Amino acid sequence: MLLRSLLRRGAAAVAAAGSGGVPLTARPDPPASLASLLLASRSYAKAKGGAKPASSTSNRGKVRAKDPRGVASADDAAGDFAGGGGVEDDGIDDEFELPTDPLPPTYDPALDVGPGGRPLFAFTDTFGTFHHRDANVYVDFTLDEWKAVLPEGLPAGMMKEFQETRRCAVMVRKSFLDLRDNFRRIVDPAITSNWKDIKRQIVLDGPRSCGKSIALAMLVHWARTEGWLVFYVPQGKDWTHGGFFYRNTYSDFFDTPIQAAKIMQDFMKYNEARLQQLPCQIFEPIPLGEGAGVGMMKGADTVEMPEGSTLYDLIQTGITNTHASVGVLVHLRKELSLVKDVPVLFAIDQYNSWFTFSDFQEPVTVRSCRSIHAKELTLVNAYRSMLHSDMMIGAFSHSTAVGKLRQELPDVPADARVMFPRYSVEEAETVCHYYMRQKIIRRENFSEEKWKKIYYLSNGNGSEMRWLAPFI
């Protein structure tokens, strides 16, 4: 009713103006009147249940900085009506479409200038060509390229950055180059002799939203483009939360066959061709367990892989046979430790969720249950340990943490923990220039004093800097 009355009132005003009832100089500006109607329609739709205006689907892929005062002005609404678009306030927009072209339609090389006149972007298809002197620049990929190399999924923080900047670019930081060079020196004997502090196992720790998950994803991207075999787990918490579970009476651990099948399917997405070339080296019988919703298999307790089988055949057995899913994934861990033809890296995000209690509970009495610790799960018990010679890196996620962990963790070397830093002043300057390039920060309002205020207010926190940027 409110919207109908406003439309009727606007039509009457236009008719009066046309008939001479209102002077032309007093006639309201058409964009402003349309803006007021748009604001009224949005308020009415929100009051009726949060429905979006009909024109919202045609404005996807465009961004407008939020009003720092927290209110929508008539000019902002007029810009939306003309096709300016908007940003959802609640997390990641389900209708958001990331650009498939790394260069936006308004690409201007003169704008891609960083601090001190340095190039803001480095156009390359790999992270392996960078030196420490080349740090603090952005590398631009398409979303399809990211998904092709990381089909298991991208970190939530990375997707949030892509959404708000409308560009799938990441900054190459010196802390990431240190991680890359550490594992590169392990594989390349020519540069290992001059480096003493090399870690085969690393636990990335640090403040919340300092970039640990993004650095881990970039490391996996680099390793796979170098031809490595990477076992990447972007969400380690999924191993301990949700899904079917049961106690294995033979091992006294808890098996999760649904998670095991999903993990193997994700591992096959990128590494299928490589796995078909790697033969199985262990031919011990693989124990069968209870299938997801089908119970135990009758007449068989184990399954054996025939001679000449490859790791691809092994994983296919676990995917197609739900009784063998957990046993095959545990067997795969042993096989990957014996691979010598290609470097193998284990990369686990949300690694701290494997040292706390899981989401599962075991009935103790009729009225009570006990929480099951992550170490009691078969898959976590097989993959959590770092007491081996394999290359492995795990990143803590304080956004999904259940609780604080002690400094010394079981199954982790004492010197494995590496503190990942927040943005430095140089990195923060590059980030703010990038946000100005992507029009999150207005160019006329940008100054060294203002971006430093953002840096010190956020204490170098990446997500907080991105949130504060429009307020410049």
Side-chain angles (χ1 to χ4, degrees):
M1 296 299 294
L2 175 62
L3 178 60
R4 190 177 303 170
S5 63
L6 288 172
L7 289 172
R8 189 181 297 113
R9 188 182 305 171
V14 173
S19 62
V22 178
L24 293 178
T25 56
R27 186 169 54 187
D29 186 63
S33 60
L34 291 175
S36 62
L37 291 176
L38 180 62
L39 285 174
S41 64
R42 285 185 172 178
S43 302
Y44 179 76
K46 186 177 295 184
K48 296 294 289 181
K52 295 182 179 180
S55 62
S56 62
T57 56
S58 63
N59 296 333
R60 290 181 292 181
K62 301 178 181 179
V63 65
R64 173 177 57 84
K66 299 178 183 178
D67 191 348
R69 297 167 295 178
V71 296
S73 62
D75 294 336
D76 292 336
D80 285 346
F81 190 84
V87 180
E88 292 288 336
D89 292 337
D90 50 348
I92 298 177
D93 187 1
D94 295 335
E95 297 184 356
F96 169 67
E97 293 181 355
L98 287 170
T100 56
D101 188 352
L103 300 181
T106 59
Y107 172 68
D108 184 3
L111 298 178
D112 295 340
V113 179
R118 294 182 56 193
L120 188 60
F121 292 94
F123 297 99
T124 178
D125 57 352
T126 179
F127 296 107
T129 59
F130 285 91
H131 300 279
H132 279 72
R133 64 177 179 272
D134 304 322
N136 300 342
V137 296
Y138 276 84
V139 176
D140 206 358
F141 297 107
T142 64
L143 184 61
D144 293 337
E145 290 173 338
W146 278 111
K147 290 183 176 180
V149 183
L150 303 175
E152 297 91 342
L154 300 177
M158 177 181 284
M159 291 299 296
K160 186 68 174 177
E161 173 82 6
F162 292 168
Q163 173 188 350
E164 296 194 3
T165 60
R166 291 301 193 267
R167 194 166 186 171
C168 303
V170 292
M171 183 175 63
V172 179
R173 303 173 59 184
K174 292 182 179 180
S175 49
F176 159 73
L177 296 178
D178 291 337
L179 291 175
R180 183 206 64 181
D181 293 344
N182 175 83
F183 290 104
R184 172 187 277 176
R185 291 184 175 96
I186 296 176
V187 177
D188 191 353
I191 58 177
T192 304
S193 57
N194 298 328
W195 190 264
K196 298 180 180 179
D197 190 15
I198 297 178
K199 300 179 183 294
R200 301 187 71 92
Q201 299 84 27
I202 293 178
V203 175
L204 282 183
D205 197 0
R208 182 175 179 175
S209 300
C210 65
K212 300 182 292 296
S213 297
I214 296 179
L216 184 66
M218 293 170 62
L219 182 67
V220 174
H221 188 287
W222 163 78
R224 285 180 170 173
T225 54
E226 291 289 319
W228 294 20
L229 183 63
V230 183
F231 187 90
Y232 178 46
V233 181
Q235 295 180 346
K237 192 175 182 179
D238 290 348
W239 288 38
T240 60
H241 288 68
F244 172 79
F245 75 99
Y246 72 96
R247 179 184 286 273
N248 192 315
T249 56
Y250 296 101
S251 63
D252 208 29
F253 286 100
F254 290 88
D255 291 353
T256 51
I258 295 179
Q259 284 93 330
K262 176 65 167 54
I263 293 165
M264 288 185 288
Q265 290 172 359
D266 290 342
F267 185 54
M268 286 275 288
K269 290 178 180 177
Y270 184 85
N271 303 296
E272 180 176 349
R274 178 72 67 179
L275 294 171
Q276 292 176 347
Q277 303 172 355
L278 298 175
C280 292
Q281 304 183 48
I282 303 176
F283 295 96
E284 299 176 355
I286 301 173
L288 299 177
E290 184 175 339
V294 294
M296 298 293 295
M297 180 179 289
K298 297 181 180 180
D301 294 333
T302 60
V303 62
E304 295 184 1
M305 298 301 299
E307 294 286 342
S309 299
T310 62
L311 296 185
Y312 174 83
D313 300 327
L314 174 67
I315 296 177
Q316 282 292 342
T317 302
I319 294 176
T320 57
N321 189 351
T322 183
H323 298 89
S325 296
V326 176
V328 166
L329 191 54
V330 174
H331 189 88
L332 177 65
R333 175 66 185 87
K334 301 176 183 178
E335 290 280 3
L336 291 177
S337 64
L338 299 178
V339 174
K340 304 300 180 184
D341 298 337
V342 60
V344 179
L345 174 66
F346 296 89
I348 315 297
D349 201 0
Q350 301 178 0
Y351 185 59
N352 50 328
S353 62
W354 292 3
F355 295 90
T356 58
F357 284 94
S358 69
D359 193 37
F360 309 130
Q361 292 184 341
E362 180 186 26
V364 178
T365 64
V366 179
R367 300 182 179 179
S368 64
C369 298
R370 77 171 187 89
S371 297
I372 300 174
H373 199 275
K375 65 181 179 181
E376 301 180 65
L377 303 179
T378 304
L379 300 182
V380 174
N381 181 72
Y383 282 82
R384 187 182 74 168
S385 176
M386 287 189 175
L387 301 179
H388 48 66
S389 59
D390 301 329
M391 292 186 295
M392 182 173 179
I393 179 171
F396 282 3
S397 175
H398 296 293
S399 303
T400 60
V402 179
K404 293 184 178 180
L405 301 178
R406 59 184 183 180
Q407 186 68 23
E408 296 181 2
L409 298 176
D411 302 328
V412 175
D415 60 342
R417 185 173 299 199
V418 174
M419 299 303 295
F420 202 79
R422 294 184 175 95
Y423 284 147
S424 64
V425 178
E426 294 79 9
E427 292 171 344
E429 186 177 8
T430 303
V431 168
C432 289
H433 275 80
Y434 173 66
Y435 289 164
M436 182 180 63
R437 169 65 182 87
Q438 297 305 113
K439 299 182 180 179
I440 296 179
I441 301 176
R442 297 180 181 272
R443 182 175 296 273
E444 60 271 14
N445 297 336
F446 184 82
S447 66
E448 182 176 2
E449 179 183 1
K450 290 183 178 180
W451 74 254
K452 284 187 176 180
K453 286 182 179 180
I454 289 181
Y455 170 70
Y456 290 115
L457 281 174
S458 63
N459 196 19
N461 184 289
S463 61
E464 291 185 10
M465 285 187 60
R466 187 172 62 246
W467 180 80
L468 289 170
F471 292 87
I472 282 188

